[in-house]
Amino acid sequence: MAKKKSFVTGPALYEDPALSFISRGELQPQEEPAGPLGVPEGYRPAYVERRSRRVQLVLPPSLYGRVKQASQGEGLSLNEFCCRALERALEQGGE
């Protein structure tokens, strides 16, 4: 009768057998983020927002179509386009 084939050899005997087929090249250390939330070191914003709020807008179809078309023209998502438009409106209005 033929011997049963074993795929586990050497130090892999005591490890996960699936890992014996994966090369064990030198692992390069991953760079850690520059700071909390990926903010570059030395940059200290006054306030870093951590959460977003949802707002439901009710728009007439014609306005929605124009806003969607304008956002695509600028290469932005509808959400990003609306956020920027609202920020601009608040800056011009003096908050």
Side-chain angles (χ1 to χ4, degrees):
M1 185 164 211
K3 260 180 137 176
K4 188 173 182 182
K5 189 171 183 178
S6 172
F7 291 99
V8 180
T9 59
L13 179 64
Y14 302 104
E15 296 176 8
D16 184 8
L19 294 178
S20 65
F21 295 102
I22 299 174
S23 66
R24 297 177 187 259
E26 290 294 321
L27 295 177
Q28 297 180 3
Q30 293 181 351
E31 293 182 22
E32 293 185 20
L37 302 175
V39 177
E41 198 62 43
Y43 176 74
R44 300 279 182 219
Y47 175 71
V48 177
E49 293 181 296
R50 295 172 188 239
R51 297 185 70 183
S52 296
R53 299 291 301 208
R54 286 190 175 270
V55 176
Q56 183 176 1
L57 293 175
V58 179
L59 302 174
S62 60
L63 178 59
Y64 174 80
R66 290 178 19 220
V67 171
K68 181 74 172 173
Q69 206 170 30
S71 69
Q72 288 174 342
E74 290 190 25
L76 299 172
S77 68
L78 184 65
N79 183 66
E80 183 65 23
F81 182 82
C82 289
C83 287
R84 289 182 183 188
L86 289 169
E87 285 177 3
R88 257 190 319 258
L90 289 173
E91 288 172 1
Q92 292 173 356
E95 291 188 49

